[in-house]
Amino acid sequence: MNRIPHETSGEPNPFRALTLDGLRLRTSMKWRTYPADVLPLWVAEMDVPLAEPVIRAVTEAMALGDTGYPAGSAYAEALAGFAAKQWGWHGLAVERSAIVPDVMMGVVEMLKLVTGPGDPVVVNPPVYPPFFQFIAHMDRRIAEAPLGADGRLDLGVLEEAYRRVVAGGGRAAHLLCSPHNPTGTVHTAGELSAVAALAERYGVRVVADEIHAPLTAAGVDFVPYLGVPGAERGLSLMSASKAWNLAGLKAALAVAGPGAAADLALLPEEVSHGPSHVGVLAHTAALRDGTAWLDALLAGLDANRRLLADLLAEHLPGVRYRPGEATYLAWLDCRALDVGDDPAAVFLERGRVALSPGADFGTGGAGHVRLNLATSPEILTEGVRRMAAALR
């Protein structure tokens, strides 16, 4: 099912609602990590006001003193309804879901269910840096299957990685980023079906981080991993966190395919105590009642992708940028600028603009930066201007 076109939602562009002075009053990581003269275009926080249904849900909870422990299945029901409407996917079974504190903690819990200490976990670098950190911290081994030069999954490389990780026996998993962070790649149904077929052939369990799923560009359809043939033994982590800017209201959902229901049933009961009850209320309201706001956000992101491409062509023609099919993150290839493996350090020191260093994303990341374009056109323009000035 195709989503209603972004431009028809009727909601105002949320990226035009806040000023830089107003944003600097925020006390979150994005706005407090660097000095005030640095323009922050790095961590995954959006410069938007919250959707009205989210504000209403949280405000009502405060008025009622409804700040206890989470309960019920409303979050999973809202996600199932959203998935059916937005992606045409009717396979999200509420009884095969569980609330978890957030997506990365959910990833950890799912990997614990399907692997043991010392077991390998395949990742596809360049990829979200916490993948490396969390896997290492939970005493699993990282096995790389890098993306191809086109930024997409290289199925030949992936098969070789699968063959390698199961060669010694034992259990193995694949932590799949879908849509992919930082490239913004949306894996196709064909690619995901091929992953599922390989995983079944080699006995590798796929855990899909699908946190950016609602954030697709116009004309691009997200395909849930659990919705493709052969993925019945897969596990997925989903959340409203990224799409509605709710990182500070912790809550996510683990979803199991039919063949993984028994695994999910082994999730320790105390894990469900970790999410914030107010977070669950906020995420539920976003998924259930916040789609008009989301459509306005997506239209704003489409405009910002076009603006960034134009700005780079004018001011930094040496930077290679392929607009992502999803997420609000731009993966910029700066290797032609001759500023070394860490261009983010140059842009920060000389231009006073903070970007995420590409090397943090693993193999293939050196010489790149990740830029967060979920901001106003004015801030985005100023950010590129500062980047250009840093090279003069």
Side-chain angles (χ1 to χ4, degrees), residues 212-389:
H212 289 277
L215 292 166
T216 50
V220 178
D221 292 326
F222 169 75
V223 179
Y225 177 71
L226 297 182
V228 302
E232 290 80 10
R233 294 206 308 143
L235 294 156
S236 167
L237 284 305
M238 292 185 171
S239 172
S241 175
K242 288 292 184 284
W244 282 271
N245 208 39
L246 303 177
L249 290 167
K250 297 267 186 190
L253 283 163
V255 183
D263 297 300
L264 189 62
L266 298 176
L267 186 70
E269 192 269 340
E270 62 268 20
V271 173
S272 67
H273 299 171
S276 159
H277 175 52
V278 177
V280 169
L281 297 175
H283 288 238
T284 301
L287 291 162
R288 187 183 58 218
D289 303 318
T291 52
W293 182 91
L294 176 64
D295 282 339
L297 180 99
L298 295 176
L301 289 176
D302 286 340
N304 279 4
R305 291 187 191 98
R306 293 190 295 269
L307 174 61
L308 179 59
D310 291 343
L311 289 169
L312 292 172
E314 178 181 357
H315 299 288
L316 287 166
V319 172
R320 185 182 177 197
Y321 167 53
R322 182 190 295 119
E325 298 169 310
T327 82
Y328 49 75
L329 306 165
W331 186 236
L332 308 183
D333 184 347
C334 303
R335 288 174 292 181
L337 300 181
D338 195 26
V339 290
D341 287 344
D342 189 10
V346 175
F347 292 131
L348 178 60
E349 180 181 353
R350 302 180 192 170
R352 310 307 288 163
V353 57
L355 306 167
S356 297
D360 291 352
F361 295 80
T363 299
H368 293 70
V369 297
R370 193 191 72 178
L371 181 149
N372 178 351
L373 52 78
T375 189
S376 70
E378 293 76 18
I379 290 176
L380 187 58
T381 300
E382 173 65 10
V384 175
R385 186 198 67 77
R386 291 188 183 199
M387 291 169 66

Side-chain angles (χ1 to χ4, degrees), residues 141-158:
R141 293 186 290 111
I142 294 166
E144 294 193 355
L147 299 177
D150 58 358
R152 308 200 69 87
L153 294 172
D154 185 321
L155 295 174
V157 169
L158 184 64

Side-chain angles (χ1 to χ4, degrees), residues 73-87:
S73 58
Y75 187 2
E77 291 165 7
L79 179 58
F82 180 87
K85 179 182 177 182
Q86 300 293 105
W87 308 322

Side-chain angles (χ1 to χ4, degrees), residues 15-84:
F15 295 115
R16 294 187 175 275
L18 303 175
T19 65
L20 180 58
D21 287 343
L23 289 165
R24 289 201 182 279
L25 297 176
R26 293 183 171 183
T27 59
S28 61
M29 181 184 292
K30 181 176 184 180
W31 294 97
R32 286 294 182 267
T33 297
Y34 294 98
D37 67 324
V38 172
L39 196 64
L41 296 176
W42 63 297
V43 74
E45 297 180 23
M46 294 195 288
D47 297 341
V48 293
L50 290 182
E52 184 56 39
V54 173
I55 296 173
R56 187 165 56 248
V58 173
T59 302
E60 288 176 357
M62 295 300 104
L64 291 170
D66 188 9
T67 54
Y69 298 103
S73 58
Y75 187 2
E77 291 165 7
L79 179 58
F82 180 87

